[in-house]
Amino acid sequence: MRSGRIVKPLIGISCCTKQFGVFGMPNHAASNTYVRATDEIVGGVPVLIPANGPMADVETLLERLDGIILTGSRSNVHPSLYGGPPHAEGTWEDPARDGAILPLIRGAVMRGVPLLAICRGFQELNVAMGGSLHQRLQDLPDRIDHSTPMQASVKVRQGKAHTIRINPGGWLHRLAGTTEIAVNSLHNQGVNQLAPGLLIEGTAPDGTIEAVRVVSTPTGAVHGFAIGVQWHPEYDWPTDPISRRIFEAFGAAVRAYTGDSQVTPLSAAAD
């Protein structure tokens, strides 16, 4: 409380390096969907985290931020970070984002700063914690095509693409109240080797891991909120109850982290 008014929590939103304008000037950008969810559901102040690689001051960010949302992106995590083969020619990469966000993830998990990792953020979470990725799920045998539908219609691109099976008794099961939900699908990469300390919360019908929770690190158990989902709940939270609950649970964890004793994060209830 400052000057008689409530101070909202600061929510970091990861940016990508993108070129805009006639001259293709580099910019740090994040979709309005994440900003809107932070404003309208989480109840925090959105703070954009630049993709500035080794210049990122991770310690200062972690000292100041009360929660972190890792965004989706057209770019892919660089394969050198998980021992994978080079990307196919034309694959979008963003090494400046990799350099800023992977250390931020590890620091947030260690400190207990609430973390919600979405799509590319989900993949970053797995790599940061020691896992690896498949680069193109659609090229693997017995996998469905998880990539973005190349359709002009937003409803088609962002609409429900497949179901996921939710592991009984986990965080997502408690949140959804069911063992199956429908999700959108707009990604090429996916988890190959699951990182140590990550617990699977849900899988697609083809076995692709779609949701995880961080439960431990090499130094011990993790009691904070650190959740990753492969789909995009920020697209449909106004109409989809599960998508909305994901952001509500993140918001509850943020308020608990900032010292509001009246709020119990759902992550604690699932432990």
Side-chain angles (χ1 to χ4, degrees), residues 27-245:
N27 286 256
H28 301 274
S31 170
N32 181 58
T33 53
Y34 303 99
V35 173
R36 187 180 171 200
T38 299
D39 283 335
E40 299 186 35
I41 308 179
V42 178
V45 175
V47 178
L48 300 187
I49 303 172
N52 58 344
M55 294 301 296
D57 189 336
V58 170
E59 288 303 311
T60 296
L61 289 169
L62 294 172
E63 284 287 342
R64 301 290 182 85
L65 296 176
D66 302 306
I68 298 170
I69 296 175
L70 303 179
T71 62
S73 174
R74 185 175 180 180
S75 67
N76 290 341
V77 178
H78 199 279
S80 64
L81 297 169
Y82 55 86
H87 281 143
E89 185 176 353
T91 301
W92 286 51
E93 298 174 346
D94 194 343
R97 170 168 168 161
D98 296 335
I101 297 305
L102 268 63
L104 185 69
I105 291 171
R106 290 186 283 265
V109 169
M110 294 300 295
R111 285 174 176 250
V113 179
L115 180 71
L116 176 58
I118 295 170
C119 198
R120 188 197 209 270
F122 171 85
Q123 296 153 11
E124 290 169 329
L125 175 63
N126 188 55
V127 172
M129 302 303 291
S132 65
L133 301 174
H134 292 299
Q135 294 181 6
R136 285 175 54 88
L137 292 171
Q138 59 268 41
D139 293 343
L140 300 178
D142 302 321
R143 297 293 182 108
I144 62 176
D145 188 350
H146 289 260
S147 62
T148 305
M150 299 306 292
Q151 298 285 336
S153 170
V154 173
K155 289 184 178 180
V156 173
R157 291 198 310 273
Q158 301 178 4
K160 304 302 186 186
H162 60 76
T163 60
I164 66 169
R165 296 186 294 268
I166 298 174
N167 288 358
W171 174 85
L172 187 57
H173 184 219
R174 293 172 185 267
L175 185 83
T178 182
T179 56
E180 184 175 287
I181 61 173
V183 299
N184 52 41
S185 189
L186 300 98
H187 61 103
N188 292 299
Q189 293 194 313
V191 171
N192 181 6
Q193 292 294 323
L194 185 68
L198 268 58
L199 182 68
I200 298 173
E201 292 279 339
T203 56
D206 63 358
T208 298
I209 298 172
E210 292 276 339
V212 298
R213 179 163 56 100
V214 184
V215 295
S216 67
T217 70
T219 61
V222 171
H223 299 291
F225 183 104
I227 298 292
V229 295
Q230 183 61 84
W231 68 95
H232 288 263
E234 79 280 6
Y235 283 158
D236 61 3
W237 60 260
T239 57
D240 185 90
I242 306 305
S243 294
R244 185 179 187 93
R245 287 176 205 165

Side-chain angles (χ1 to χ4, degrees), residues 2-51:
R2 298 175 185 171
S3 304
R5 64 182 294 269
I6 296 175
V7 178
K8 294 181 179 180
L10 299 179
I11 307 300
I13 299 174
S14 62
C15 287
C16 297
T17 305
K18 295 186 177 181
Q19 294 180 330
F20 294 127
V22 176
F23 301 106
M25 295 293 289
N27 286 256
H28 301 274
S31 170
N32 181 58
T33 53
Y34 303 99
V35 173
R36 187 180 171 200
T38 299
D39 283 335
E40 299 186 35
I41 308 179
V42 178
V45 175
V47 178
L48 300 187
I49 303 172

